[in-house]
Amino acid sequence: MTQEQWTAVDRYFTDLLVPPDPALDAALQTSAAAGLPPHNVSPNQGKLLLLLAQIQRARTILEIGTLGGYSTIWLARALPSDGRLITLEADPKHAEVARANIAGLSDIVDLRLGQALSTLPQIAAEGNSPFDLIFIDADKPNNPHYLAWALKLSRRGSLIIADNVVRNGAVIDQSSSDPSVLGVRRFNELLASEPRVSATAIQTVGSKGYDGFAIAIVTTDQ
Ligand code: SAH
Ligand code: DHB
Ligand code: MG
């Protein structure tokens, strides 16, 4: 199986199941035009985020890692008009592109510029938590910290989703010194030993290569 086939099959499903959408299509176009890295979720993964948020009946969402706002728009679409999504982004250029892309969702989406480990304590102090869904998709070395914050900002029943937990299979390389691989491995181990969650992880192939996501539900009162 080749990347070409994975991409073609992703295109097949996207053409069938993910109709073109002006705001989402524009977000991808402006992100690429501004030279942002192509690290957004794929269209069919974005739709999965929407469906998971809908299944969860989420009213409050926290996203760590905005990039150009592509996944943000997908997640925000699941929310009722009085719902709230806070998204955290450290790179001013990414945030600027995202702000333009989420302009139509300004009643729902609140983008916070800064290192997530600096903005997360502020969010905890503001009393916006608990969040119904938390999407972790920023700098992978900090994933263990993001899991701790996700738990702190959760309630029983909150859903925690983390992107990029496979990284082309590097996740099982015990000798890796790549800080991202180390961060993801530690995150997976913490998820496994954490008594407050029930979790699994799924490998994926597609237009974004070979990767995967972890999904956890908080099973205890926080
Ligand atoms: N969720 C996006 C993709 C995010 S890519 C989507 O699917 O559309 C990861 C993003 O995390 C990048 O924009 C990067 O600048 C941001 N990031 C990296 N380190 C960060 C940090 N410490 N705090 C907040 N954001 C960070
Ligand atoms: C990278 C980050 C992501 O969130 C992603 O989905 C793909 C790649 C990266 O940093 O390489
Ligand atoms: Mg990602």
Side-chain angles (χ1 to χ4, degrees):
M1 293 298 144
T2 63
Q3 178 61 58
E4 206 171 59
Q5 282 170 298
W6 300 342
T7 302
V9 174
D10 251 3
R11 194 176 305 121
Y12 164 80
F13 280 123
T14 299
D15 287 348
L16 280 174
L17 301 171
V18 190
D21 175 282
L24 288 163
D25 298 345
L28 290 184
Q29 275 161 17
T30 58
S31 296
L36 268 48
H39 292 164
N40 51 274
V41 295
S42 65
N44 45 342
Q45 289 169 344
K47 182 130 183 212
L48 176 65
L49 291 175
L50 168 73
L51 294 172
L52 289 169
Q54 287 175 327
I55 292 164
Q56 176 70 346
R57 301 201 197 301
R59 304 182 67 86
T60 54
I61 296 177
L62 174 66
E63 177 179 64
I64 309 176
T66 318
L67 192 63
Y70 184 70
S71 55
T72 315
I73 298 171
W74 273 113
L75 288 165
R77 290 270 170 84
L79 291 171
S81 54
D82 63 345
R84 289 288 172 273
L85 186 157
I86 300 180
T87 184
L88 312 182
E89 176 54 54
D91 186 311
K93 183 179 163 188
H94 298 182
E96 187 188 333
V97 173
R99 278 194 205 287
N101 287 329
I102 59 180
L105 292 160
S106 58
D107 288 349
I108 290 179
V109 178
D110 178 1
L111 189 161
R112 305 285 179 91
L113 176 63
Q115 296 288 324
L117 289 179
S118 302
T119 45
L120 284 162
Q122 292 171 18
I123 287 158
E126 284 167 12
N128 285 311
S129 52
F131 294 93
D132 302 320
L133 187 157
I134 298 162
F135 180 45
I136 300 173
D137 192 21
D139 48 332
K140 313 311 172 192
N142 276 324
N143 267 20
H145 298 299
Y146 297 150
L147 178 60
W149 276 106
L151 286 164
K152 206 172 297 217
L153 300 171
S154 287
R155 57 162 171 88
R156 179 197 287 267
S158 290
L159 199 60
I160 300 170
I161 305 168
D163 195 21
N164 312 114
V165 299
V166 174
R167 305 202 62 97
N168 212 26
V171 66
I172 60 166
D173 180 359
Q174 290 174 296
S175 64
S176 177
S177 55
D178 178 334
S180 292
V181 173
L182 290 168
V184 167
R185 282 179 60 83
R186 185 79 192 121
F187 173 88
N188 294 334
E189 287 156 15
L190 289 168
L191 211 52
S193 62
E194 173 55 64
R196 292 172 288 176
V197 302
S198 174
T200 191
I202 294 294
Q203 303 182 69
T204 57
V205 293
S207 59
K208 297 284 161 175
Y210 169 36
D211 213 320
F213 59 90
I215 184 162
I217 191 158
V218 177
T219 54
T220 58
D221 290 318
Q222 299 297 286

